[in-house]
Amino acid sequence: YVYTQIDHTLIHTDDYLVHTGGYACACRRFGFEDRYSWMPYACKLVAWDAQRFCQLLGTRKVLAIGDSTMLQAASVLMNYIHWGYWGASPPGCQSQVIFANSDTLVGRNLGVDNRGGNWTHLVKHFDPDIILISTGPHINRPMPLRSADMRSVIEQVAVEHRALFPEKTLIWKTQAPGGCTRNISNTIPEPAFFDSLPYDHFNQEQYDEWDWMAIDVFARQPNQHVLDLTPLYYRTDAHPGCHYYEGYRVDSNQPQPMTPSSVNP
């Protein structure tokens, strides 16, 4: 990650932004500003272009299914399209991106909450062309049941997609932290760091294992893909809504803050 200056001319208002999850209506409303950009060593990322995105999307519809960490991904996409078309006519394609809540995807309580519907019911209801899907933080039964549950969910989603929606593109999103620290980490935190936190159901210790499970299952199947957002492993500040929930924000035992211009591998 590199430390970047924020171009405030691009930030028009928070009044028209999509809810970002937890207790945050919009990150900046509570003083949270993301000043970091991911810069890989071996390649150069293409700059975000909302109008190009909408051009490529065409008339298709995206349905993002998951918990609050998926809500954050969906709302970031919606808001960045909205900003990219600010004041333009016709408006952008943000209304073609939909979020539906499903904590565990399969309608079973596997540890912490089970909000939302079964993912297959949601797809049938919204009839999207592209399914962006993920779970993880709410699969939290004691080990080793936890990892077995995760593999079961991943395999069930893959099988049901092939059986029910083979014509629809399915994209599994890798894990994103639900952390509430004030700073970003220079390194992927060790399990001992997560053990020190006052919450224990985000499962950061299992991220790498679970993402490799998803790659193993989805990367070899037709019309099933994996969206690699693993740089977010470093973002232990990544759940802005909980930053402002009294008694939940972490003020100690934090990862080492990022230094300006430092880059992670």
Side-chain angles (χ1 to χ4, degrees), residues 146 189-201 203-206 253:
R146 189 179 309 170
E190 296 294 327
F193 164 73
F194 298 114
D195 292 341
S196 72
L197 301 181
Y199 46 85
D200 62 359
H201 73 274
N203 299 320
Q204 284 99 330
E205 311 91 295
Q206 275 77 52
N253 298 318

Side-chain angles (χ1 to χ4, degrees), residues 112-167:
V112 181
D113 299 331
N114 184 31
R115 300 166 298 184
N118 184 290
W119 83 277
T120 60
H121 300 165
L122 295 169
V123 171
K124 290 176 181 178
H125 177 77
F126 289 104
D127 191 26
D129 303 281
I130 300 169
I131 306 162
L132 180 63
I133 193 167
S134 191
T135 188
H138 294 270
I139 296 178
N140 198 254
R141 293 201 295 172
M143 293 292 284
L145 293 174
R146 189 179 309 170
S147 287
D149 287 341
M150 186 65 175
R151 178 166 286 278
S152 174
V153 168
I154 290 172
E155 292 178 346
Q156 180 175 336
V157 168
V159 169
E160 290 175 340
H161 172 256
R162 292 195 297 272
L164 300 174
F165 316 111
E167 77 287 356

Side-chain angles (χ1 to χ4, degrees), residues 3-11 28 31-37 80 83:
Y3 191 80
T4 57
Q5 293 296 117
I6 296 176
D7 184 355
H8 288 278
T9 64
L10 300 178
I11 302 175
R28 289 185 64 251
F32 179 90
E33 290 186 333
D34 185 0
R35 295 180 177 271
Y36 298 101
S37 298
Y80 266 77
W83 280 339

Side-chain angles (χ1 to χ4, degrees), residues 5 24 53 68 106 110 128 139 144 147 174 239:
Q5 293 296 117
F53 176 87
S68 62
V106 295
L110 297 174
I139 296 178
S147 287
T174 58
H239 211 307

Side-chain angles (χ1 to χ4, degrees), residues 7 27 30 40 55 93 95 100 110 145 190 203 225 257-258:
D7 184 355
C27 298
F30 299 101
Q55 180 186 19
C93 59
S95 62
L110 297 174
L145 293 174
E190 296 294 327
N203 299 320
H225 312 273
M258 288 290 293

